[in-house]
Amino acid sequence: MSAEYATFGLAPATRPGGLLAGGDLQVHRDFVDFVVDGRPLLYRLSDLDAVSPLASDVPPSLFTAQVRGLLLETGAPLPDGRHVLYGCPECEDLACGAVTAVIERDGQDVVWRDFAWQTGDRADLERDGYHGMGPFRFRGDEYRAALNALLDGDLPGSRRVLLVGPRVAQLARPAAALRAVGIGADVTQSADGVPADELRSYGAVLFGRAVPARERDAVRRALAGAGADVPCVDALAPVVPLLVAQAEQALEAGRDDRRRLTDLTVADGAAEFEVVSACRVRLTAHRVDRLSRARSRDLFDALLGPGRHRVPLDPPAVRGEAYLVARTAGTVLVTAVRP
């Protein structure tokens, strides 16, 4: 086993929820990811839609139990000293598959080894092992300090969006959709009279298309006066899944170092984007037809490796006023399709 040390840390992460083009709901999950040598461990696992057991929506007693298990203060939940590091974001059932590893002490150090994909009580390392991954040796004091900080209340916070528009009823549907995928949402006609501490609780502001420029400026002034440095975005079209995607992208502002997907553009009948680490990418087109009806269609869904990618677009799907949403685990990007 290597005697070289790896650094250990924790960072907030998100498995974004969403309204899929077919109307299905993908559950939103906020969780704490493991950061090894400065890189989220999940990014080493290509095409894995999963969350760690340190999710913000689990009961506090269960969250504490998970942390104490990783600290080796309690017995391993699986045979052979194995612990679940990532599981299904929808049900967290081991039968759906999970990434597990042996976690053990070696003197004052903590070692993670024998990573595997596991669907039952025992892991078959020969068939399902992540060969070439680990082992990782962590300094015990660094490892324990990071996990103990979670027990002291350093948990990932909730995400909230303020929707601003002159007709509150028109924003009720996108607000409900945001709440359905785990994002707090409030609707207002203006920021007048909103307490400063409440304004600071929002991670983004979404302006409806009918909000006049003077009201947008007033909201920005109110945010600045409250010390709330949050992104403000203009709604592109009255299409609920598109508005949800815009809000999700705004909430990710300032987290470029953790994006798996960047630089989404559309030109010459194709979408172009950069994949930072191997992941599954889904492209969805949203448009408003001549009768002002919302249309949505999935265009592409595949595992892609790191690098620049170009995906031809189906012309009927992006005809007229159209927009493109690119999704992967932890990243949502939105862009307009110019005629």
Side-chain angles (χ1 to χ4, degrees):
M1 183 179 297
S2 172
E4 294 183 3
Y5 285 102
T7 62
F8 180 84
L10 301 168
T14 299
R15 188 266 196 165
L19 298 175
L20 307 183
D24 293 333
L25 177 66
Q26 178 172 283
V27 175
H28 175 92
R29 302 294 302 279
D30 287 315
F31 63 100
V32 178
D33 198 6
F34 310 108
V35 180
V36 178
D37 285 337
R39 183 185 180 196
L41 186 62
L42 186 59
Y43 287 14
R44 300 173 187 258
L45 305 167
S46 299
D47 188 29
L48 184 64
D49 181 19
V51 300
S52 82
L54 306 178
S56 63
D57 56 354
V58 301
S61 59
L62 180 55
F63 187 96
T64 299
Q66 297 287 1
V67 175
R68 296 203 180 282
L70 294 170
L71 286 167
L72 301 179
E73 295 177 0
T74 60
L78 298 173
D80 306 319
R82 303 192 71 83
H83 295 252
V84 173
L85 300 181
Y86 298 104
C88 173
E90 300 289 340
C91 67
E92 300 179 79
D93 190 333
L94 184 61
C96 290
V99 177
T100 68
V102 175
I103 301 180
E104 62 186 7
R105 292 189 185 89
D106 186 6
Q108 292 298 310
D109 301 337
V110 176
V111 176
W112 288 16
R113 62 174 175 85
D114 296 340
F115 291 82
W117 178 254
Q118 188 168 344
T119 57
D121 289 338
R122 301 279 179 178
D124 187 332
L125 294 179
E126 183 67 25
R127 184 189 64 193
D128 299 321
Y130 285 96
H131 305 293
M133 184 171 176
F136 300 118
R137 176 181 292 272
F138 306 116
R139 288 182 172 84
D141 54 352
E142 177 184 72
Y143 179 87
R144 286 184 284 274
L147 288 167
N148 278 318
L150 296 179
L151 298 179
D152 294 334
D154 186 13
L155 305 180
S158 62
R159 305 190 304 165
R160 298 180 67 198
V161 176
L162 180 64
L163 291 83
V164 181
R167 298 180 181 86
V168 173
Q170 290 185 348
L171 297 177
R173 287 186 62 213
L178 284 165
R179 297 182 192 114
V181 297
I183 298 174
D186 296 308
V187 180
T188 185
Q189 293 180 328
S190 74
D192 291 342
V194 179
D197 57 346
E198 184 172 342
L199 288 175
R200 287 193 293 269
S201 72
Y202 294 105
V205 174
L206 180 64
F207 293 117
R209 297 215 293 185
V211 178
R214 64 179 181 278
E215 182 58 41
R216 297 172 199 234
D217 292 340
V219 171
R220 291 188 177 96
R221 287 194 299 271
L223 291 168
D229 183 16
V230 300
C232 297
V233 297
D234 298 330
L236 293 173
V239 180
V240 172
L242 177 64
L243 298 179
V244 171
Q246 281 193 265
E248 290 177 290
Q249 178 175 316
L251 288 169
E252 294 172 9
R255 298 178 60 185
D256 293 346
D257 59 329
R258 304 199 184 280
R259 291 182 183 271
R260 306 180 78 171
L261 189 66
T262 64
D263 194 24
L264 173 65
T265 59
V266 176
D268 300 324
E272 293 190 9
F273 49 85
E274 188 82 20
V275 173
V276 178
S277 63
C279 58
R280 183 168 294 278
V281 178
R282 185 173 74 247
L283 296 179
T284 303
H286 302 283
R287 68 183 184 91
V288 179
D289 67 16
R290 289 179 296 178
L291 298 178
S292 299
R293 295 174 299 190
R295 303 292 188 184
S296 299
R297 180 177 167 187
D298 285 332
L299 303 179
F300 178 82
D301 187 352
L303 173 64
L304 298 175
R308 190 76 181 172
H309 295 272
R310 179 180 174 86
V311 178
L313 301 177
D314 184 16
V318 293
R319 184 173 55 239
E321 182 185 355
Y323 306 90
L324 196 65
V325 175
R327 285 184 177 275
T328 190
T331 304
V332 179
L333 299 177
V334 181
T335 192
V337 181
R338 304 300 180 189

